[in-house]
Amino acid sequence: MTLSLRPISEAEWSAWNTVDEEAFGVAVPEHRQEIFRRNLEFDRSLGVFDGDLLVGTTAVYSFSMNVPGGPIPVGGVTAVGVLPSHRRRGVLSSLMTRQLSDLHERGEAVAALYASEAAIYGRYGYGRAADCMVFRIPTADAAFTRHAPVDPALRLRVVRPANARSVFEKIYESAFEERPGLYARTPARWDGVLTDHESDQGGAGPLRAVIAEDDGGPRGYALFRIKASFDDHDLPVGELRLKELFGLDPAAYALLWRHVLDRDLVSHVAAQSRPSDDPLIHLLAEPRKLHALWLDDLWVRVVDVERALPARRYSAPVDVVIEVEDALCPWNARRWRLTADTSGARCAPSDDPADLTLPVSVLGAAYLGGRPLAALLAAGVVRETRAGALRELSTAMSWDPAPWAGLIF
């Protein structure tokens, strides 16, 4: 078998989609294929070919992603797939290695992805950088605490999502500035959020929306669907499936949650991806009623240590020498001195003895500020030579709020 690797052309889109559907075991509706195609950057999309047959794929979106301190260019890795007939033949490794080299040559110091299987990407230097929560909340037990914020000036407006896109975009742009992991959305990305074909509905009816606003303008929105249902006694047991909820201040946020929890004929609210530090945890009088499930969200790869570490801000002063282990990116595999305070950072090669030795995946896990490092030391992933160096680095890289991307890419 002779394999070749190269960027694909737009004319090869049909073959690309075939690999995607086979690798993930899904049938992608035509309108979703078109949205995917419009988001795809073909010059950043790689394919492995067995002769003329496309057998493996991966692609990169050019994102502006928020990190601690503000947005930076980030490569959003997507569509990583190999035909089942060509697994265990080095196809995935060749794609991921070439992609890292391309990212480095383009000057993108950081890459991020959503992992279909969490066990895969640690092999390529990615670390679990953000978590999300899944909620299933019984509405009958969803009272708020007495300190829940209220603003009498706020009101709710029910809208058709297609008619309020510009409002959603404006609110999201403001929310984007506050949380690491969120990324700027292109028009095609918004098309994907608001598409409302029958195949998007999953039996839960049309996309619905409500906006929280005052006389000064919109302050938040929620997007959701409602799957109507009644039990054998004709009692309503509908499920509200929350797609997105962004509030720009505590009162707007609380009011939007109060709306989705108080919808008539709904017995449960299901939210598939919420931040790990979602304020709702502290708004519910009985937080156990969240029935929360903890999952991984973003995985991050530091492609270029020297450029990535100074590109973000730090919560506390740090001065450590880190020996980075990186088998796939040899330009990273050496000792680096990171010095930083709250005004900025510098990272440079160093010949001084290492305070810490760690795989590059640890820097990826900590990069967005949401992964304390003590557990990685306890697990033997990190080796500490200078006592206290790990705590110093972990404290400096921590950030509030917790990272979260909110929308799979």
Side-chain angles (χ1 to χ4, degrees):
M1 183 177 66
T2 302
L3 299 177
S4 60
L5 190 159
R6 61 170 173 81
I8 70 162
S9 68
E10 193 164 357
E12 292 167 316
W13 165 251
S14 178
W16 174 282
N17 190 62
T18 295
V19 174
D20 189 62
E21 291 191 330
E22 286 292 335
F24 288 93
V26 297
V28 182
E30 288 187 11
H31 73 284
R32 281 285 177 185
Q33 291 182 31
E34 176 58 20
I35 292 170
F36 186 19
R37 187 192 65 79
R38 285 191 284 117
N39 272 304
L40 208 62
E41 300 170 49
F42 283 91
D43 63 327
R44 307 200 67 184
S45 304
L46 297 172
V48 170
F49 292 80
D50 181 1
D52 294 331
L53 177 66
L54 182 62
V55 300
T57 62
T58 187
V60 175
Y61 297 126
S62 302
F63 280 147
S64 176
M65 180 175 285
N66 209 27
V67 304
I72 65 169
V74 169
V77 175
T78 190
V80 181
V82 178
L83 282 182
S85 57
H86 286 69
R87 297 175 66 231
R88 306 287 191 268
R89 302 187 189 184
V91 175
L92 178 60
S93 291
S94 66
L95 286 166
M96 300 303 287
T97 302
R98 166 66 180 273
Q99 186 178 69
L100 287 169
S101 179
D102 289 352
L103 285 161
H104 184 242
E105 290 179 8
R106 289 178 66 104
E108 284 173 327
V110 178
L113 57 78
Y114 274 90
S116 58
E117 294 182 83
I120 294 175
Y121 292 98
R123 304 201 308 263
Y124 303 106
Y126 286 83
R128 178 174 171 169
D131 301 321
C132 69
M133 304 295 284
V134 176
F135 298 149
R136 181 168 173 78
I137 311 165
T139 57
D141 300 311
F144 279 177
T145 62
R146 288 180 293 178
H147 67 251
V150 176
D151 183 349
L154 272 172
R155 57 183 177 270
L156 293 172
R157 176 162 57 98
V158 174
V159 297
R160 291 184 178 274
N163 297 337
R165 174 169 171 157
S166 62
V167 176
F168 305 149
E169 290 175 345
K170 183 177 179 181
I171 292 169
Y172 180 81
E173 286 172 6
S174 296
F176 160 73
E177 300 172 359
E178 299 300 321
R179 186 178 289 274
L182 292 177
Y183 56 91
R185 294 180 180 177
T186 63
R189 187 78 48 193
W190 273 107
D191 290 345
V193 172
L194 298 177
T195 184
D196 203 22
H197 289 246
E198 185 176 353
S199 59
D200 299 310
Q201 297 175 5
L207 190 64
R208 303 176 186 276
V210 63
I211 294 170
E213 60 189 2
D214 60 16
D215 291 343
R219 289 164 51 182
Y221 72 87
L223 291 170
F224 53 91
R225 303 181 191 277
I226 296 176
K227 182 175 177 59
S229 183
F230 292 82
D231 67 13
D232 292 341
H233 302 283
D234 207 27
L235 295 171
V237 288
E239 180 179 77
L240 187 147
R241 298 177 181 174
L242 184 67
K243 186 177 182 68
E244 290 196 340
L245 190 154
F246 287 99
L248 299 184
D249 58 83
Y253 182 87
L255 182 62
L256 288 165
W257 266 110
R258 197 65 267 157
H259 175 80
V260 300
L261 292 168
D262 289 345
R263 289 286 301 220
D264 289 339
L265 310 183
V266 168
S267 65
H268 285 82
V269 171
Q272 288 301 307
S273 176
R274 298 300 304 166
S276 60
D277 60 350
D278 197 314
L280 184 63
I281 298 168
H282 307 287
L283 284 173
L284 282 188
E286 178 47 270
R288 295 177 184 177
K289 297 297 184 179
L290 289 168
H291 297 279
L293 178 66
W294 179 57
L295 296 173
D296 55 297
D297 192 66
L298 279 178
W299 291 68
V300 167
R301 211 305 179 173
V302 173
V303 178
D304 190 315
V305 170
E306 189 169 16
R307 286 182 291 180
L309 294 187
R312 53 155 291 172
R313 299 288 293 274
Y314 292 81
S315 294
V318 62
D319 184 355
V320 293
V321 177
I322 307 167
E323 183 157 355
V324 176
E325 299 170 334
D326 192 341
L328 296 182
C329 299
W331 53 86
N332 285 335
R334 61 162 304 154
R335 290 193 295 276
W336 302 93
R337 179 176 289 277
L338 171 66
T339 56
D341 55 29
T342 54
S343 63
R346 182 174 183 270
C347 182
S350 177
D351 293 324
D352 293 336
D355 300 320
L356 298 165
T357 300
L358 48 79
V360 71
S361 59
V362 170
L363 294 179
Y367 192 76
L368 297 179
R371 185 70 60 218
L373 299 180
L376 293 170
L377 179 64
V381 178
V382 178
R383 299 189 298 279
E384 183 181 60
T385 306
R386 174 171 66 82
L390 185 81
R391 181 183 296 275
E392 183 181 339
L393 179 63
S394 184
T395 300
M397 296 190 77
S398 65
W399 201 262
D400 280 325
W404 173 68
L407 180 65
I408 295 176
F409 51 82

PDB file of all heavy atoms in Angstrom, residues 300-313:
ATOM      1  N   VAL A 300      -6.405  21.355  24.143  1.00  0.00           N
ATOM      2  CA  VAL A 300      -5.502  22.375  23.611  1.00  0.00           C
ATOM      3  C   VAL A 300      -4.105  21.797  23.430  1.00  0.00           C
ATOM      4  O   VAL A 300      -3.615  21.029  24.262  1.00  0.00           O
ATOM      5  CB  VAL A 300      -5.467  23.616  24.534  1.00  0.00           C
ATOM      6  CG1 VAL A 300      -4.313  24.549  24.181  1.00  0.00           C
ATOM      7  CG2 VAL A 300      -6.797  24.362  24.437  1.00  0.00           C
ATOM      8  N   ARG A 301      -3.449  22.211  22.326  1.00  0.00           N
ATOM      9  CA  ARG A 301      -2.092  21.801  22.017  1.00  0.00           C
ATOM     10  C   ARG A 301      -1.220  23.059  21.872  1.00  0.00           C
ATOM     11  O   ARG A 301      -1.536  23.961  21.097  1.00  0.00           O
ATOM     12  CB  ARG A 301      -2.086  21.065  20.686  1.00  0.00           C
ATOM     13  CG  ARG A 301      -1.056  19.946  20.447  1.00  0.00           C
ATOM     14  CD  ARG A 301       0.367  20.267  20.624  1.00  0.00           C
ATOM     15  NE  ARG A 301       1.161  19.042  20.370  1.00  0.00           N
ATOM     16  CZ  ARG A 301       2.458  19.025  20.312  1.00  0.00           C
ATOM     17  NH1 ARG A 301       3.155  20.142  20.522  1.00  0.00           N
ATOM     18  NH2 ARG A 301       3.113  17.895  20.080  1.00  0.00           N
ATOM     19  N   VAL A 302      -0.159  23.141  22.671  1.00  0.00           N
ATOM     20  CA  VAL A 302       0.812  24.215  22.506  1.00  0.00           C
ATOM     21  C   VAL A 302       1.736  23.813  21.360  1.00  0.00           C
ATOM     22  O   VAL A 302       2.546  22.890  21.494  1.00  0.00           O
ATOM     23  CB  VAL A 302       1.593  24.472  23.802  1.00  0.00           C
ATOM     24  CG1 VAL A 302       2.718  25.470  23.563  1.00  0.00           C
ATOM     25  CG2 VAL A 302       0.653  25.000  24.886  1.00  0.00           C
ATOM     26  N   VAL A 303       1.591  24.496  20.233  1.00  0.00           N
ATOM     27  CA  VAL A 303       2.369  24.182  19.036  1.00  0.00           C
ATOM     28  C   VAL A 303       3.756  24.808  19.109  1.00  0.00           C
ATOM     29  O   VAL A 303       4.738  24.222  18.654  1.00  0.00           O
ATOM     30  CB  VAL A 303       1.623  24.658  17.772  1.00  0.00           C
ATOM     31  CG1 VAL A 303       2.434  24.381  16.516  1.00  0.00           C
ATOM     32  CG2 VAL A 303       0.245  23.993  17.686  1.00  0.00           C
ATOM     33  N   ASP A 304       3.844  25.993  19.678  1.00  0.00           N
ATOM     34  CA  ASP A 304       5.113  26.710  19.780  1.00  0.00           C
ATOM     35  C   ASP A 304       5.214  27.313  21.182  1.00  0.00           C
ATOM     36  O   ASP A 304       4.571  28.320  21.488  1.00  0.00           O
ATOM     37  CB  ASP A 304       5.194  27.801  18.719  1.00  0.00           C
ATOM     38  CG  ASP A 304       6.571  28.427  18.613  1.00  0.00           C
ATOM     39  OD1 ASP A 304       7.165  28.737  19.666  1.00  0.00           O
ATOM     40  OD2 ASP A 304       7.061  28.623  17.487  1.00  0.00           O
ATOM     41  N   VAL A 305       5.985  26.671  22.049  1.00  0.00           N
ATOM     42  CA  VAL A 305       6.088  27.101  23.441  1.00  0.00           C
ATOM     43  C   VAL A 305       6.571  28.542  23.540  1.00  0.00           C
ATOM     44  O   VAL A 305       6.033  29.345  24.318  1.00  0.00           O
ATOM     45  CB  VAL A 305       7.039  26.164  24.219  1.00  0.00           C
ATOM     46  CG1 VAL A 305       7.357  26.735  25.604  1.00  0.00           C
ATOM     47  CG2 VAL A 305       6.430  24.772  24.341  1.00  0.00           C
ATOM     48  N   GLU A 306       7.565  28.893  22.742  1.00  0.00           N
ATOM     49  CA  GLU A 306       8.200  30.212  22.859  1.00  0.00           C
ATOM     50  C   GLU A 306       7.223  31.337  22.546  1.00  0.00           C
ATOM     51  O   GLU A 306       7.320  32.424  23.119  1.00  0.00           O
ATOM     52  CB  GLU A 306       9.405  30.290  21.931  1.00  0.00           C
ATOM     53  CG  GLU A 306      10.256  31.533  22.121  1.00  0.00           C
ATOM     54  CD  GLU A 306      11.572  31.466  21.377  1.00  0.00           C
ATOM     55  OE1 GLU A 306      11.702  30.609  20.471  1.00  0.00           O
ATOM     56  OE2 GLU A 306      12.472  32.261  21.694  1.00  0.00           O
ATOM     57  N   ARG A 307       6.282  31.088  21.644  1.00  0.00           N
ATOM     58  CA  ARG A 307       5.306  32.126  21.298  1.00  0.00           C
ATOM     59  C   ARG A 307       4.019  32.002  22.084  1.00  0.00           C
ATOM     60  O   ARG A 307       3.357  33.000  22.371  1.00  0.00           O
ATOM     61  CB  ARG A 307       5.009  32.077  19.794  1.00  0.00           C
ATOM     62  CG  ARG A 307       6.131  32.617  18.936  1.00  0.00           C
ATOM     63  CD  ARG A 307       5.775  32.582  17.465  1.00  0.00           C
ATOM     64  NE  ARG A 307       5.697  31.213  16.963  1.00  0.00           N
ATOM     65  CZ  ARG A 307       5.402  30.900  15.715  1.00  0.00           C
ATOM     66  NH1 ARG A 307       5.088  31.855  14.842  1.00  0.00           N
ATOM     67  NH2 ARG A 307       5.370  29.641  15.313  1.00  0.00           N
ATOM     68  N   ALA A 308       3.631  30.772  22.437  1.00  0.00           N
ATOM     69  CA  ALA A 308       2.336  30.567  23.096  1.00  0.00           C
ATOM     70  C   ALA A 308       2.325  31.106  24.525  1.00  0.00           C
ATOM     71  O   ALA A 308       1.365  31.759  24.947  1.00  0.00           O
ATOM     72  CB  ALA A 308       1.968  29.086  23.104  1.00  0.00           C
ATOM     73  N   LEU A 309       3.361  30.831  25.298  1.00  0.00           N
ATOM     74  CA  LEU A 309       3.327  31.213  26.708  1.00  0.00           C
ATOM     75  C   LEU A 309       3.304  32.726  26.912  1.00  0.00           C
ATOM     76  O   LEU A 309       2.575  33.218  27.790  1.00  0.00           O
ATOM     77  CB  LEU A 309       4.478  30.564  27.464  1.00  0.00           C
ATOM     78  CG  LEU A 309       4.423  29.028  27.560  1.00  0.00           C
ATOM     79  CD1 LEU A 309       5.525  28.498  28.465  1.00  0.00           C
ATOM     80  CD2 LEU A 309       3.062  28.535  28.037  1.00  0.00           C
ATOM     81  N   PRO A 310       4.038  33.543  26.133  1.00  0.00           N
ATOM     82  CA  PRO A 310       3.910  35.001  26.306  1.00  0.00           C
ATOM     83  C   PRO A 310       2.637  35.590  25.714  1.00  0.00           C
ATOM     84  O   PRO A 310       2.328  36.760  25.972  1.00  0.00           O
ATOM     85  CB  PRO A 310       5.142  35.556  25.570  1.00  0.00           C
ATOM     86  CG  PRO A 310       6.052  34.411  25.368  1.00  0.00           C
ATOM     87  CD  PRO A 310       5.173  33.211  25.261  1.00  0.00           C
ATOM     88  N   ALA A 311       1.880  34.800  24.921  1.00  0.00           N
ATOM     89  CA  ALA A 311       0.692  35.338  24.243  1.00  0.00           C
ATOM     90  C   ALA A 311      -0.496  35.507  25.176  1.00  0.00           C
ATOM     91  O   ALA A 311      -1.472  36.167  24.819  1.00  0.00           O
ATOM     92  CB  ALA A 311       0.301  34.427  23.076  1.00  0.00           C
ATOM     93  N   ARG A 312      -0.437  34.927  26.356  1.00  0.00           N
ATOM     94  CA  ARG A 312      -1.522  35.033  27.320  1.00  0.00           C
ATOM     95  C   ARG A 312      -1.051  35.809  28.549  1.00  0.00           C
ATOM     96  O   ARG A 312       0.141  36.075  28.717  1.00  0.00           O
ATOM     97  CB  ARG A 312      -2.033  33.647  27.744  1.00  0.00           C
ATOM     98  CG  ARG A 312      -0.954  32.700  28.248  1.00  0.00           C
ATOM     99  CD  ARG A 312      -1.502  31.655  29.188  1.00  0.00           C
ATOM    100  NE  ARG A 312      -1.923  32.233  30.456  1.00  0.00           N
ATOM    101  CZ  ARG A 312      -2.575  31.576  31.411  1.00  0.00           C
ATOM    102  NH1 ARG A 312      -2.897  30.303  31.243  1.00  0.00           N
ATOM    103  NH2 ARG A 312      -2.911  32.170  32.542  1.00  0.00           N
ATOM    104  N   ARG A 313      -2.006  36.194  29.390  1.00  0.00           N
ATOM    105  CA  ARG A 313      -1.693  36.893  30.642  1.00  0.00           C
ATOM    106  C   ARG A 313      -1.654  35.888  31.797  1.00  0.00           C
ATOM    107  O   ARG A 313      -2.162  34.770  31.693  1.00  0.00           O
ATOM    108  CB  ARG A 313      -2.735  37.982  30.909  1.00  0.00           C
ATOM    109  CG  ARG A 313      -2.812  39.051  29.835  1.00  0.00           C
ATOM    110  CD  ARG A 313      -1.608  39.987  29.849  1.00  0.00           C
ATOM    111  NE  ARG A 313      -1.568  40.797  31.050  1.00  0.00           N
ATOM    112  CZ  ARG A 313      -2.213  41.958  31.199  1.00  0.00           C
ATOM    113  NH1 ARG A 313      -2.954  42.434  30.206  1.00  0.00           N
ATOM    114  NH2 ARG A 313      -2.111  42.653  32.315  1.00  0.00           N
TER     115      ARG A 313
END
